[in-house]
Amino acid sequence: MVEAVNRNTQRTFFSGVLLLTLSTVLVKLIGLFYKIPMLSYLGTEGMGYFNSAYEIYALFCVISTAGLPVALSVLISGAVARGEDTRAARIYRVTRAVFWLIGIGGTLVMWFFADAFCHVIKSDNALFCMRAIAPTVFLVCYSSALRGYFQGYQRMFPTAFSQLLESIGKLLFGLLLARYALQKGLDTPVVAAYAGVGLTLGTAVSTGYLMIAKARFHPTVAEEIQDGNEEQSARGGILGQLCRLAIPMTLGASLVSLTKLVDMTMILRRLQVIGLDEVAANEAYGSYTTLALSVFGLIPALVNSVALPLVPMLSAAIASGDRARQAQMVRISYLLTSLFAIPAALGLSAFAKPILFLLFKNESAAVETAAPLLSYLGISVFLSCMITATNSVLHAYQVVNRPILSMLAGAVVKVISAYLLIGSPTVAMAGAPVSTFLCNVTVVLLNLYFTASLCRQPSVKEVFLRPLGASVGAVGISLAAYLWASTRWGSGTLLTLSALLLTLALYLIFACLFGVFNEKDLSSIPLGKKMLSFWRKDDS
């Protein structure tokens, strides 16, 4: 009976992970396709204003979308598991009030202090866009409370579907409104503000869906019970639990958002120090964020979801005290990250320009600006994925404060290096991806140091060097073939796609030759045993 329950729980978990992973992938792809036509409407200057406002908005939203929804889901799931349906309803009511206060406060601050924010980042023309996006802070806070509620009941569909609705809404409303403003002949900052209104409307559609889903979801009649005295006495305890769980995760996520703000502020301010005016600085920032960072962000989102199912397995091994199993899970987590992230990082650096031309073929000037920056940024793909992997290990051991220290140290490195490098005329914009690399190196090294005291570390040769060797061989041969072919027949979509497919095929061959994975590794991951049995059946 217990085994059947465990199997059902595991099945539910993996189906939820799969659903959210697919949703994340689709949201990222929609976000990329959103930026391709939006770039043609706004240009690099307008995208600079839009992205400046968006990064300020993201800093406010990180409080509502990082630790609080997770903490809410943990509290509700615990109450539901104990059969305390009334307490689950009370937890939602109390935390919903917290989300509303944060959302209203964030919206008001972003609206009334928009002038001050624009002055700090030296982008006065981002004012209209910033105010257009300000109401989204409240909408995101409310939708985060609803998503945390559903996740507490292990219902992942509302979260996944609302994310898709939000991204599709942003795409449709943003492009339609930006096109309308452009046809009216409005100035570029105003066109960017219309795109910001589209962002707000898309989020409103997603929030509306979640409200309807919540109204139709009735887990128990106990939710309707209103015991004022009991709720008053329990409110302090609920808020205390919420803070203990949410604050460490929120601080860590806030530091990540702050490093992005450092990029924006340093780029816009330091480029003007070395002689660029506000428009030129925003064009450079727009090219970097819209092209280079958009492509860069796709890969960590995809790679990080691969190792996600291993986290609860590591937690189970920690709870049982099985040290060998813990070391194996850590090794598998790092190996999966290396397997996917290292070739992606090298491939992105080597083929940065062809990939950008493939996606933004009508924006040749922006591609020329962003391609070298994406080449520098590509190496950080692996480091970004390793940050997630090592953070997950530390969270599984319930060591939640050390990732904050790592991120704080990385943020300091980011500030100093970005200030010095971007302010140098010989480095200029290249200082942004280089400072990101230095920041990520700092975080990864500190996290590896922290995890070393918790469990046995895997072999560097097996986990990192073998995938690196396979990646260097595959990317090197493919790049040489691409350059040879392009000198004879010219570059184009077909040649770029062929080079990327050749890289993938060669990497699989080299990975097998280098002995990157073995049967023990495959049997430890989801679906691994089925893959082994399938291959053995073919061999027989």
Side-chain angles (χ1 to χ4, degrees):
M1 178 69 177
V2 174
E3 186 177 348
V5 172
N6 288 338
R7 281 200 303 268
N8 184 60
T9 301
Q10 187 179 42
R11 192 181 303 114
T12 302
F13 171 78
F14 284 123
S15 63
V17 168
L18 178 61
L19 190 62
L20 289 177
T21 299
L22 290 175
S23 172
T24 301
V25 171
L26 289 174
V27 167
K28 286 290 182 181
L29 290 175
I30 291 171
L32 180 61
F33 291 131
Y34 165 79
K35 290 183 178 180
I36 293 173
M38 188 62 77
L39 179 61
S40 66
Y41 290 158
L42 301 183
T44 52
E45 178 195 350
M47 288 304 296
Y49 301 139
F50 181 85
N51 290 329
S52 297
Y54 188 88
E55 291 301 335
I56 297 292
Y57 150 78
L59 179 62
F60 285 103
C61 285
V62 74
I63 298 174
S64 64
T65 59
L68 282 170
V70 177
L72 173 59
S73 66
V74 169
L75 292 177
I76 288 181
S77 63
V80 172
R82 294 188 297 269
E84 300 173 353
D85 298 307
T86 304
R87 179 171 175 79
R90 185 180 300 116
I91 289 170
Y92 171 70
R93 287 196 296 270
V94 172
T95 54
R96 181 182 60 188
V98 175
F99 279 96
W100 281 3
L101 286 173
I102 293 173
I104 293 171
T107 292
L108 292 176
V109 169
M110 188 170 178
W111 179 277
F112 289 107
F113 290 89
D115 285 311
F117 292 133
C118 291
H119 177 71
V120 169
I121 64 176
K122 295 200 75 171
S123 183
D124 293 335
N125 286 329
L127 174 66
F128 302 114
C129 192
M130 200 170 295
R131 284 184 170 158
I133 294 176
T136 315
V137 177
F138 170 74
L139 294 172
V140 167
C141 285
Y142 189 18
S143 61
S144 295
L146 292 165
R147 287 168 182 167
Y149 173 81
F150 282 117
Q151 289 166 20
Y153 280 94
Q154 307 211 5
R155 295 173 63 91
M156 302 301 175
F157 180 81
T159 295
F161 189 68
S162 66
Q163 289 175 343
L164 281 176
L165 272 182
E166 184 176 325
S167 59
I168 293 172
K170 291 175 183 176
L171 174 70
L172 295 177
F173 289 121
L175 293 179
L176 288 174
L177 289 173
R179 183 178 180 182
Y180 169 80
L182 200 63
Q183 291 175 341
K184 288 291 185 180
L186 301 176
D187 293 336
T188 298
V190 181
V191 178
Y194 270 78
V197 174
L199 173 70
T200 300
L201 292 177
T203 308
V205 170
S206 173
T207 306
Y209 159 74
L210 287 168
M211 292 171 65
I212 294 171
K214 173 65 172 64
R216 297 179 61 182
F217 179 60
H218 300 289
T220 173
V221 295
E223 187 173 346
E224 303 301 323
I225 297 175
Q226 301 287 336
D227 187 340
N229 293 331
E230 187 179 358
E231 184 164 335
Q232 182 67 30
S233 63
R235 187 175 299 165
I238 292 172
L239 289 175
Q241 286 181 295
L242 186 72
C243 292
R244 282 193 296 273
L245 287 170
I247 287 176
M249 288 183 281
T250 302
L251 286 175
S254 298
L255 289 172
V256 174
S257 186
L258 279 172
T259 58
K260 294 180 180 180
L261 278 178
V262 167
D263 254 348
M264 176 183 67
T265 305
M266 291 298 176
I267 290 171
L268 294 176
R269 292 186 70 90
R270 299 297 285 168
L271 287 181
Q272 292 179 59
V273 167
I274 60 176
L276 277 70
D277 59 21
E278 181 183 339
V279 171
N282 271 282
E283 287 178 346
Y285 177 69
S287 297
Y288 176 61
T289 53
T290 306
L291 279 70
L293 283 183
S294 295
V295 176
F296 166 82
L298 278 174
I299 298 173
L302 300 178
V303 173
N304 292 340
S305 64
V306 174
L308 184 60
L310 296 172
V311 177
M313 296 181 181
L314 175 58
S315 299
I318 295 169
S320 66
D322 188 343
R323 303 287 293 180
R325 180 71 172 167
Q326 293 172 35
Q328 184 186 19
M329 288 295 99
V330 172
R331 178 181 179 277
I332 294 295
S333 180
Y334 292 173
L335 178 60
L336 280 177
T337 301
S338 299
L339 266 173
F340 290 93
I342 292 178
L346 294 182
L348 196 59
S349 292
F351 294 100
K353 191 171 182 179
I355 290 173
L356 288 178
F357 266 118
L358 182 67
L359 297 171
F360 302 91
K361 57 183 177 182
N362 296 324
E363 302 292 339
S364 56
V367 169
E368 292 291 344
T369 301
L373 303 177
L374 182 58
S375 290
Y376 300 140
L377 198 60
I379 302 301
S380 294
V381 165
F382 168 68
L383 296 170
S384 178
C385 294
M386 278 300 298
I387 289 174
T388 300
T390 51
N391 277 348
S392 297
V393 171
L394 292 170
H395 288 154
Y397 279 95
Q398 299 187 24
V399 183
V400 294
N401 292 325
R402 291 181 184 179
I404 298 175
L405 295 177
S406 301
M407 290 304 303
L408 183 60
V412 171
V413 171
K414 174 78 174 174
V415 170
I416 295 173
S417 58
Y419 182 86
L420 295 175
L421 293 173
I422 299 174
S424 170
T426 57
V427 180
M429 270 301 302
V434 172
S435 63
T436 296
F437 171 80
L438 296 174
C439 169
N440 289 354
V441 166
T442 302
V443 177
V444 170
L445 290 178
L446 284 173
N447 277 359
L448 288 174
Y449 172 76
F450 292 144
T451 57
S453 63
L454 300 171
C455 59
R456 188 172 73 249
Q457 297 298 289
S459 165
V460 173
K461 177 182 177 181
E462 292 182 2
V463 172
F464 300 117
L465 295 185
R466 286 179 179 174
L468 178 61
S471 302
V472 170
V475 173
I477 293 174
S478 297
L479 181 60
Y482 174 84
L483 294 175
W484 178 83
S486 63
T487 57
R488 282 157 177 77
W489 300 297
S491 59
T493 300
L494 181 60
L495 182 59
T496 300
L497 292 175
S498 299
L500 295 177
L501 289 174
L502 177 62
T503 303
L504 176 60
L506 289 173
Y507 176 67
L508 293 175
I509 294 171
F510 280 121
C512 293
L513 292 176
F514 285 21
V516 172
F517 23 57
N518 54 49
E519 290 191 9
K520 186 177 180 181
D521 293 336
L522 288 174
S523 64
S524 301
I525 63 176
L527 302 181
K529 292 181 180 179
K530 292 183 179 180
M531 293 166 59
L532 284 172
S533 63
F534 177 78
W535 289 333
R536 286 167 180 162
K537 189 184 298 182
D538 284 350
D539 292 340
S540 62

